[in-house]
Amino acid sequence: PAFTWEVRANDRNYHVQFKKKFAFCLTKKKYAGNAIKTAKYNIFTFLPLNLYEQFHRMANVYFVFVILLQTFPEISTLPWYTLLFPLSCLLTIRGLRDLIDDVGRHQSDRNINSRPCEILSGKSFRWQKWRDICVGDIVRLHKESFVPADMLLLCSSEPSSLCYVETADIDGETNLKFRQALLVTHQELVSEESLATFDGEVTCEEPNSRMHSFTGTLEWRGETYSLDSERILLRGCKLRNTDVCYGLVIYAGFDSKIMRNCGKIKRKKTKLDRMMDRLVIIIFLVLLVTSLCLAIASGFWARMFQEKHSYLSALYKNTTPAQQAFFNFWGFTILLSIIIPMSMYITFEFIYLVNSFFINWDLEMYYAVKDIPAKARSTSLNDQLGQIEYIFSDKTGTLTQNMMSFKKCCINGTIYGTGPGHENKQPSGSGLTWSHHGEKKLDFCDATLLEAAWRDSDPVLREFLRLLALCHTVMVEEKGDQLVYQAASPDEEALVLAARNLGYVFLARTRDTITISELGKKRTYKVLAMLDFNSDRKRMSVLVRDPQGTIRLYTKGADTVILERLQRRGPNETFTEMALERFAEETLRTLCLASKEVSEVEYSKWSRRHREASVLLQDRTRELDKLYEEMEQNLQLLGATAIEDKLQDGVPETIQLLKLGNIKVWVLTGDKQETAMNIGYACKLLTDDMEILEEKEISSAPTIPSSHSEILEAYWVSNNNLSGSGEVLCSSRLSQPCPEALCHKKRAVIVSGDFLDKILHMGEVLKEKKGWLWRRLACCRATGPQEPGSLVEKAFVDLATSCQAVICCRVTPKQKALIVQLVKKHKKAITLAIGDGANDVNMIKTADIGVGISGLEGMQAVQCSDYALAQFSYLQRLLLVHGRWAYLRICKFLRYFFYKTFAGLMAQVWFAFHSGFTAQPLYEGWFLALYNIFYTSYPVLSMGLLEQDVSAKKSLEFPELYVIGQQDELFNYRVFGITLLHGVSTSLASFYIALWAFEDGIGSKVVGDYESFAVTVATSALLSVLVEIILDTKFWTVLSFLMVTASLLLFCLFSFLTQSIDAFRIAPAVFRFPEASRNALTDPYILLVVLLSLVVNTVPSLTVRLYRTITGKNTIQQNIRLKARQEPEPSVELRAHVPHGSFHRRSSYAFSHQEGYAGLITRGDSLRTGDTRRAT
């Protein structure tokens, strides 16, 4: 990267002078201010931008086109303003909805930008707001406050200018991380005066989205000091265990790394919305073709008529057949334009809104503990909740509660811990003198273990508890009579607290001693060495000399590394292994504890070599690791601990239900692989019979043929036409047949952020990687036009989507969004992202549906989400009940709206064949105007609001029902085609049965007139439509009944009002059908004709339904409904734990800890001597 970003401390004027181009010739400040703006609109851009977005909907463009046609009086059928009003209503409703959403974002921005902070101004610090911060400012932060911009740590109140931060909002990790200032700034910047005169210059890389890397230099007083990410505090971190720190702002506002990862707000459209846009175009083209055919026919008919009836030539002297055809074309276009009714879109919005209220009002998704209801923040995506195929979930705070508790342990062949349903009480009269140090709430309190600890008769138990109190990097402070522990990870804190509750209380530490209270007796141990934890060693040790002078090594770590370093394997060790297996089945996080006595001779030799290795300039880490390895041999096993990373309520059951509904859940987390895997097992995403594919199996060539390489080879065989050119991949090995057993094996993929980086930057990877898979992909380049990068992306997505579970760990916020983007791009699937922190915002914005959890990590995710829930478990109800119902309702609504429109209005086309192809309307103008608004819309509306195929309870009992939405079964081009044919056949029957009857001059009265004919066709079509809707309504309510009744009553009422003699007298041009309905519908023959039409239109529908029932051609829903009626109600239970598919026991080790804390303690950097705090 280019090192062109220069920051001068305390020099605002220097930064103001720099500009950069951003569009055409326009420039803006190079160094951004700290104010952020996530809202889409402002007071000036709202109207033009919102209208621009709204006219991306084809229907709106179509309506404007029709309104423009209506402005020409020669072809107009209705005044143009009668159409403009409903369109304006539609645009206003949608505009207001967007405005309300944006006002919420403005409010959120204002709250963040107005947070208080202390900025150095002149020679003193003044309280200002976050938005006032500029690059180059020096900011003072206090404990528990958020970091307002990316800053270089200059100094802090801690020894050696350490600073502890929590990055849960950025990467989801809950363990504390330490940052340390440069020695020179720590020593020199000791007062406000020295900070005010500080004039260092930082040169570093331009702003970027790489969260875990930073490279730069600080120049000050002629010296240059190198900077890395260990010196930087990122925006969004929280200051912990540090009273005060000072930082120099490097990147502000949108230049900060977290904002670079946030992504833009994207306008989300549902699958049905996009399909509707295409349908509008198709219908419009069909309408134009129909109008054109009818217009051409009208031209020929006019010429033929003029030739035949020359005595009427006076009527045609000012016009020609061609002109007539031209005007008739536009006349038919306007007449048929109501086939896409505006009322449908207004009703659409209303249905979406009410379905959103149903989500908000659902008490099953109300979290009473914190008084948080579910909230549909977006009202236009409900139907898409019924079509989700992939869920991308954050881990920390979304699946887990972010709380660790010590649950069980195994000591010397005995398992202690609370079993489900057992209530453990502290033994009365135990006389424990340490209890004043104890926790207010004991999460772990096994009476047997307490008594055993109190008796102090078991040396192994004593050593076990001593290890918990000694082998850690926890810092301790005394506040009053309470001890406050400051742990680098929640795991360590849980272990130290457990020891404290059992009488082994960690009291104090210095650079080379640890003081603990053992059952009330104070003992001080001399620390000889701390063998630090790291992710490769998977263990940490402490070498101590006890008060009697004995040297002991205490080690804790992963079972896989501790068990192979034991001196012997006896019955206790075997039993501990069985206990570990049991803990793993209960998905607890396990650690093995071991110790050994070290002789003085062995220690003195090892100590001398350790000192030599500590000062090496080259290969220091490797040499130290070798020495640690030597010391940590021939250990004696003490036991194992089991910690629970508490899941949110109902997470495993929810994931199980979603899997049964054919929804795949991917976990994307910033946490470590072990932790992510442990949670994967805990929430039943991973099971023991699954084969786990890790990066090395996916990307490198195995030296020995293994099942992994076979799996991938088999996988590539079945997908060897990836390039789309029909050529197979170039390796002959890939032509082998697919091993059957492997094809159907359950698999899970676990990858890291680094691996994803390689996939997403494939150009470089193809050069770097030498594995068999990458070579095969490289030789695909010639097989098709696709880029090799895109090919590898597709290969990875295809492999991942063929697996039952996918876990991505150590991923940045931007990578989370890119994974979602990859699945959307290559699978064309509907995706949902769920998270609770700022690190999930980009993913939530990128997915088709974004769900925010109102959790512990602030409200950033909720502010950017489409739906807000309090718990992950509410997702099952949101998708399987509300989502499925919304999809069902919208699909039925569309189907029947189109059906009733075609059924009622296609008769206009048939009438043209009998009216000389003139664009004369068949129906009365009022019937046309009111047909879609009053006569037929209410039953369809009630269906769109309340329709259910099965109850909420059954929806959750049979998650398989959800598949219908994923497969677009209820509304697609085939369904639309059938609806069109159904509507056309209804209109044909209604029209031609009436025409046939009228041609015979039926009736006792004189009803052979045009008005009576129109009324007969209209009534036949209307009743046919209502009966069809009645037949297909599955869920009858009082409202459904009222809506159908209201439609009929309104038809009678408006027919009476618009066809009264009085109205005709007042405005004969407007009310053209005086007494037409009364005249026609009081004639029994006409009523029989209407009944005949009704029977002819209804019998086919009934026949199809009957045929399907007899032949068993039911839909999935019908089959499940039948099954539900026949069987007693089954409950959805988690499947029993699957027996292990391999001979190897699965390790459930997980430990969220950062390397480096042991070094801080042994150097004394993190320990206070007297009062070393800076004056603030």
Side-chain angles (χ1 to χ4, degrees):
F3 294 96
T4 54
W5 193 260
E6 294 176 359
V7 177
R8 286 190 189 172
N10 294 315
D11 190 353
R12 285 191 174 186
N13 294 333
Y14 172 76
H15 304 112
V16 171
Q17 62 186 336
F18 292 99
K19 306 277 184 199
K20 66 174 180 183
K21 273 190 186 177
F22 76 99
F24 305 115
C25 305
L26 302 174
T27 59
K28 64 176 180 180
K29 289 179 186 172
K30 178 181 178 182
Y31 297 90
N34 201 45
I36 60 157
K37 176 181 158 290
T38 59
K40 279 166 75 172
Y41 312 113
N42 60 37
I43 203 159
F44 301 109
T45 60
F46 172 70
L47 201 61
L49 258 181
N50 191 260
L51 284 174
Y52 173 73
E53 285 173 352
Q54 295 224 44
F55 280 104
H56 269 69
R57 288 176 187 259
M58 289 312 299
N60 291 342
V61 178
Y62 171 76
F63 294 141
V64 168
F65 171 72
V66 173
I67 289 169
L68 288 173
L69 287 183
Q70 294 281 25
T71 56
F72 295 99
E74 292 86 358
I75 55 172
S76 172
T77 54
L78 286 169
W80 61 272
Y81 48 82
T82 56
L83 284 171
L84 185 62
F85 177 70
L87 180 62
S88 305
C89 287
L90 186 62
L91 297 177
T92 306
I93 290 166
R94 285 180 176 153
L96 282 172
R97 192 185 64 204
D98 292 341
L99 184 63
I100 290 163
D101 286 351
D102 214 52
V103 166
R105 285 191 281 264
H106 273 289
Q107 189 66 48
S108 164
D109 292 346
R110 210 168 15 254
N111 292 344
I112 290 169
N113 291 332
S114 301
R115 285 179 183 170
C117 63
E118 283 189 285
I119 305 172
L120 184 62
S121 181
K123 297 196 173 177
S124 63
F125 282 91
R126 290 188 190 155
W127 282 101
Q128 294 184 45
K129 295 194 164 85
W130 274 27
R131 62 167 167 260
D132 302 321
I133 293 173
C134 295
V135 171
D137 284 355
I138 290 175
V139 177
R140 175 158 68 195
L141 299 175
H142 298 269
K143 191 174 182 175
E144 299 300 318
S145 64
F146 283 99
V147 179
D150 292 355
M151 308 195 305
L152 169 66
L153 178 62
L154 296 176
C155 55
S156 81
S157 56
E158 296 297 301
S160 306
S161 278
L162 274 176
C163 180
Y164 297 96
V165 290
E166 184 185 87
T167 58
D169 239 16
I170 290 175
D171 57 15
E173 287 199 38
T174 48
N175 53 306
L176 288 190
K177 297 186 171 66
F178 65 84
R179 300 286 179 260
Q180 192 168 8
L182 290 167
L183 186 62
V184 62
T185 57
H186 163 66
Q187 290 171 342
E188 298 290 332
L189 304 177
V190 291
S191 65
E192 286 189 15
E193 290 75 29
S194 57
L195 284 163
T197 57
F198 177 63
D199 60 351
E201 186 173 321
V202 173
T203 306
C204 60
E205 58 202 9
E206 290 281 321
N208 59 66
S209 60
R210 293 186 294 278
M211 299 293 292
H212 303 296
S213 72
F214 176 84
T215 315
T217 58
L218 168 68
E219 285 181 45
W220 188 36
R221 297 178 177 171
E223 297 287 324
T224 302
Y225 309 92
S226 71
L227 303 174
D228 58 20
S229 57
E230 296 299 304
R231 316 280 181 206
I232 300 294
L233 301 177
L234 296 181
R235 178 184 175 119
C237 293
K238 195 175 192 180
L239 205 61
R240 299 287 300 275
N241 302 358
T242 307
D243 288 337
V244 175
C245 76
Y246 299 85
L248 168 67
V249 176
I250 306 289
Y251 306 125
F254 281 110
D255 289 336
S256 61
K257 289 186 182 285
I258 187 71
M259 294 310 292
R260 287 267 164 161
N261 272 278
C262 264
K264 290 178 182 163
I265 295 170
K266 300 170 179 74
R267 187 170 186 86
K268 295 182 178 179
K269 286 181 82 170
T270 67
K271 209 171 183 180
L272 280 176
D273 238 355
R274 288 192 288 271
M275 187 182 164
M276 282 297 294
D277 277 351
R278 292 192 287 270
L279 276 181
V280 167
I281 295 170
I282 292 167
I283 293 169
F284 181 57
L285 291 173
V286 170
L287 186 149
L288 285 181
V289 169
T290 307
S291 300
L292 185 65
C293 293
L294 291 172
I296 291 167
S298 79
F300 282 115
W301 190 88
R303 200 173 78 184
M304 193 176 73
F305 184 83
Q306 285 177 28
E307 287 170 359
K308 202 169 179 181
H309 305 282
S310 54
Y311 53 87
L312 295 176
S313 58
L315 294 174
Y316 298 102
K317 65 180 177 192
N318 296 324
T319 179
T320 63
Q323 280 177 310
Q324 265 185 284
F326 177 75
F327 284 120
N328 279 339
F329 170 72
W330 296 113
F332 279 121
T333 304
I334 292 170
L335 194 62
L336 299 175
S337 66
I338 45 176
I339 277 181
I340 305 174
M342 213 173 294
S343 58
M344 180 172 83
Y345 283 88
I346 296 172
T347 318
F348 216 42
E349 293 298 319
F350 183 69
I351 290 171
Y352 272 130
L353 185 68
V354 174
N355 278 316
S356 299
F357 285 142
F358 289 156
I359 292 170
N360 299 349
W361 295 336
D362 191 343
L363 289 175
E364 298 286 325
M365 297 199 292
Y366 169 68
Y367 190 50
V369 179
K370 291 189 178 175
D371 186 30
I372 303 171
K375 181 155 178 56
R377 291 170 49 82
S378 170
T379 55
S380 58
L381 301 171
N382 300 336
D383 58 282
Q384 198 139 275
L385 286 171
Q387 298 183 283
I388 303 297
E389 291 175 62
Y390 292 90
I391 291 176
F392 300 91
S393 174
D394 176 40
K395 179 187 77 69
T396 312
T398 304
L399 298 176
T400 65
Q401 293 182 28
N402 217 353
M403 287 161 59
M404 302 283 178
S405 61
F406 189 93
K407 277 288 173 198
K408 297 191 176 185
C409 57
C410 173
I411 307 167
N412 201 14
T414 310
I415 293 177
Y416 300 97
T418 53
H422 296 101
E423 196 61 51
N424 288 300
K425 301 272 192 296
Q426 189 165 325
S428 56
S430 58
L432 301 180
T433 54
W434 64 86
S435 59
H436 76 283
H437 291 303
E439 283 282 79
K440 296 183 187 75
K441 175 178 75 68
L442 298 188
D443 208 18
F444 172 84
C445 180
D446 186 305
T448 323
L449 183 55
L450 266 169
E451 282 171 12
W454 182 55
R455 282 198 305 272
D456 198 24
S457 57
D458 183 352
V460 176
L461 172 60
R462 191 185 311 130
E463 285 295 294
F464 181 93
L465 295 173
R466 201 173 271 163
L467 187 151
L468 291 183
L470 292 171
C471 182
H472 55 76
T473 59
V474 175
M475 315 299 290
V476 64
E477 273 186 291
E478 248 186 279
K479 289 192 177 172
D481 65 338
Q482 284 289 315
L483 292 175
V484 178
Y485 293 143
Q486 297 175 346
S489 72
D491 302 72
E492 284 229 305
E493 186 175 25
L495 293 172
V496 174
L497 286 175
R500 176 164 100 171
N501 295 338
L502 294 164
Y504 285 70
V505 187
F506 167 50
L507 297 174
R509 88 176 326 137
T510 67
R511 203 172 144 174
D512 49 10
T513 66
I514 289 186
T515 306
I516 65 173
S517 163
E518 297 182 5
L519 304 176
K521 296 178 198 144
K522 224 184 221 191
R523 288 166 68 96
T524 301
Y525 292 79
K526 185 174 173 60
V527 178
L528 304 175
M530 286 187 87
L531 286 54
D532 198 5
F533 169 90
N534 70 34
S535 51
D536 293 328
R537 280 168 39 75
K538 295 185 180 177
R539 62 192 182 276
M540 79 163 284
S541 304
V542 60
L543 197 60
V544 296
R545 191 188 295 276
D546 67 16
Q548 285 76 39
T550 312
I551 299 171
R552 291 197 72 84
L553 176 81
Y554 293 104
T555 302
K556 68 179 180 192
D559 46 5
T560 48
V561 293
I562 300 290
L563 294 174
E564 64 188 26
R565 286 169 174 75
L566 297 180
Q567 188 177 17
R568 62 187 177 82
R569 302 294 280 266
N572 273 353
E573 284 74 12
T574 310
F575 184 83
T576 305
E577 278 207 64
M578 286 165 62
L580 283 166
E581 181 154 7
R582 188 167 138 192
F583 296 157
E585 288 186 6
E586 291 170 34
T587 66
L588 301 171
R589 297 158 70 113
T590 57
L591 285 175
C592 274
L593 277 55
S595 71
K596 75 168 185 178
E597 197 172 309
V598 180
S599 67
E600 285 289 347
V601 178
E602 187 186 348
Y603 169 67
S604 57
K605 282 182 188 171
W606 185 87
S607 176
R608 180 173 47 77
R609 289 169 60 207
H610 181 256
R611 273 197 304 277
E612 288 168 4
S614 300
V615 293
L616 285 176
L617 294 176
Q618 283 186 329
D619 296 334
R620 183 190 304 169
T621 312
R622 199 167 74 217
E623 290 302 316
L624 283 172
D625 276 351
K626 271 188 197 170
L627 279 168
Y628 294 167
E629 184 72 38
E630 276 178 36
M631 179 54 77
E632 293 164 331
Q633 294 294 337
N634 302 318
L635 302 170
Q636 289 172 327
L637 187 67
L638 299 174
T641 62
I643 290 174
E644 181 185 29
D645 186 357
K646 285 190 176 173
L647 289 174
Q648 285 198 10
D649 296 338
V651 166
E653 293 87 343
T654 302
I655 287 179
Q656 190 72 1
L657 269 181
L658 295 172
K659 281 165 95 175
L660 289 172
N662 195 36
I663 301 171
K664 291 187 175 174
V665 181
W666 292 24
V667 175
L668 314 181
T669 176
D671 229 333
K672 295 178 181 170
Q673 182 167 325
E674 293 91 358
T675 316
M677 281 180 72
N678 193 277
I679 291 299
Y681 282 104
C683 63
K684 302 286 191 285
L685 191 64
L686 302 177
T687 53
D688 288 315
D689 60 343
M690 276 185 184
E691 179 150 20
I692 308 291
L693 293 178
E694 294 182 36
E695 293 165 27
K696 54 183 180 288
E697 284 98 5
I698 296 172
S699 59
S700 61
T703 47
I704 304 159
S706 73
S707 63
H708 300 307
S709 62
E710 287 170 35
I711 284 169
L712 283 167
E713 290 205 16
Y715 173 75
W716 281 99
V717 168
S718 59
N719 291 277
N720 59 10
N721 284 335
L722 273 180
S723 63
S725 63
E727 293 180 43
V728 293
L729 294 176
C730 39
S731 169
S732 58
R733 279 172 64 200
L734 281 175
S735 58
Q736 296 163 4
C738 168
E740 272 304 302
L742 293 168
C743 279
H744 303 293
K745 203 161 187 177
K746 286 168 82 175
R747 295 197 302 268
V749 167
I750 296 175
V751 292
S752 73
D754 293 340
F755 179 77
L756 289 166
D757 256 350
K758 288 168 186 168
I759 284 175
L760 298 166
H761 300 104
M762 196 48 220
E764 299 136 55
V765 177
L766 282 171
K767 295 171 200 164
E768 292 166 11
K769 285 281 176 185
K770 298 290 177 263
W772 65 272
L773 173 60
W774 307 101
R775 281 204 302 276
R776 292 205 169 102
L777 290 169
C779 63
C780 284
R781 278 180 289 186
T783 64
Q786 273 189 317
E787 287 295 311
S790 171
L791 202 61
V792 172
E793 282 176 12
K794 189 173 186 329
F796 169 71
V797 172
D798 283 353
L799 177 61
T801 52
S802 72
C803 295
Q804 276 65 40
V806 178
I807 295 178
C808 303
C809 39
R810 308 293 294 157
V811 287
T812 65
K814 195 168 188 179
Q815 284 173 328
K816 286 185 178 187
L818 285 169
I819 293 164
V820 177
Q821 195 70 51
L822 276 184
V823 174
K824 281 173 71 175
K825 175 179 163 188
H826 293 293
K827 286 285 153 191
K828 302 286 184 283
I830 303 296
T831 57
L832 178 146
I834 181 167
D836 70 324
N839 56 321
D840 305 312
V841 166
N842 201 351
M843 167 174 85
I844 283 170
K845 286 178 182 174
T846 306
D848 296 295
I849 302 272
V851 178
I853 298 277
S854 320
L856 302 170
E857 292 187 26
M859 295 293 281
Q860 294 97 322
V862 170
Q863 294 290 356
C864 297
S865 67
D866 305 306
Y867 297 88
L869 301 175
Q871 296 268 295
F872 180 85
S873 59
Y874 297 158
L875 202 56
Q876 56 176 297
R877 196 167 172 86
L878 183 71
L879 300 186
L880 301 178
V881 178
H882 290 285
R884 209 178 57 76
W885 279 352
Y887 173 70
L888 173 84
R889 287 164 184 168
I890 290 290
C891 288
K892 276 199 164 186
F893 167 78
L894 285 173
R895 215 161 67 208
Y896 279 96
F897 218 103
F898 279 124
Y899 166 68
K900 75 184 184 64
T901 308
F902 293 136
L905 304 177
M906 282 300 284
Q908 300 278 9
V909 177
W910 320 133
F911 184 60
F913 286 92
H914 302 275
S915 64
F917 298 102
T918 55
Q920 180 189 347
L922 163 63
Y923 302 125
E924 177 194 14
W926 287 103
F927 179 83
L928 284 175
L930 301 174
Y931 178 76
N932 273 326
I933 300 172
F934 290 118
Y935 299 165
T936 54
S937 59
Y938 293 135
V940 185
L941 176 63
S942 79
M943 188 183 265
L945 293 178
L946 300 172
E947 180 67 347
Q948 299 176 15
D949 52 350
V950 293
S951 66
K953 192 178 174 189
K954 288 280 184 284
S955 295
L956 292 171
E957 281 173 10
F958 300 104
E960 298 86 354
L961 282 170
Y962 193 81
V963 177
I964 295 158
Q966 294 173 337
Q967 294 170 355
D968 299 325
E969 279 188 24
L970 298 185
F971 194 78
N972 50 41
Y973 291 112
R974 187 181 65 83
V975 169
F976 176 74
I978 292 167
T979 304
L980 175 64
L981 290 172
H982 190 187
V984 167
S985 65
T986 301
S987 68
L988 274 168
S990 303
F991 182 82
Y992 279 104
I993 286 172
L995 185 68
W996 160 74
F998 271 74
E999 277 178 349
D1000 278 1
I1002 61 148
S1004 54
K1005 301 179 190 173
V1006 184
V1007 287
D1009 58 305
Y1010 153 66
E1011 285 89 351
S1012 301
F1013 174 68
V1015 167
T1016 308
V1017 175
T1019 310
S1020 303
L1022 176 63
L1023 292 175
S1024 299
V1025 165
L1026 289 177
V1027 168
E1028 190 63 38
I1029 291 170
I1030 288 165
L1031 284 175
D1032 210 50
T1033 300
K1034 298 286 185 292
F1035 186 67
W1036 280 92
T1037 60
V1038 176
L1039 186 70
S1040 315
F1041 179 74
L1042 286 175
M1043 290 293 201
V1044 174
T1045 313
S1047 291
L1048 288 169
L1049 290 175
L1050 284 169
F1051 174 61
C1052 297
L1053 176 67
F1054 281 112
S1055 296
F1056 173 74
L1057 292 175
T1058 59
Q1059 295 175 10
S1060 70
I1061 288 288
D1062 296 332
F1064 176 70
R1065 285 192 187 118
I1066 294 163
V1070 179
F1071 303 100
R1072 296 178 177 176
F1073 276 50
E1075 302 290 343
S1077 291
R1078 184 186 289 182
N1079 192 29
L1081 298 179
T1082 51
D1083 189 305
Y1085 292 99
I1086 296 286
L1087 292 176
L1088 283 171
V1089 170
V1090 171
L1091 183 62
L1092 179 63
S1093 297
L1094 191 57
V1095 169
V1096 168
N1097 284 323
T1098 309
V1099 165
S1101 289
L1102 287 170
T1103 310
V1104 168
R1105 284 179 171 81
L1106 188 66
Y1107 172 74
R1108 280 187 171 166
T1109 310
I1110 291 167
T1111 57
K1113 287 188 177 176
N1114 289 344
T1115 61
I1116 299 174
Q1117 289 153 300
Q1118 287 164 328
N1119 284 328
I1120 286 174
R1121 267 205 303 279
L1122 287 168
K1123 186 177 159 190
R1125 283 182 198 139
Q1126 289 159 9
E1127 291 179 10
E1129 293 182 355
S1131 60
V1132 175
E1133 293 174 8
L1134 287 176
R1135 287 165 188 159
H1137 189 79
V1138 184
H1140 296 288
S1142 67
F1143 297 109
H1144 301 293
R1145 181 177 52 77
R1146 171 175 68 79
S1147 168
S1148 67
Y1149 154 78
F1151 193 57
S1152 49
H1153 197 294
Q1154 189 190 6
E1155 186 180 352
Y1157 277 95
L1160 291 179
I1161 291 166
T1162 50
R1163 291 196 304 272
D1165 284 356
S1166 57
L1167 302 169
R1168 301 189 183 286
T1169 51
D1171 188 16
T1172 58
R1173 288 169 190 266
R1174 292 162 188 276
T1176 56

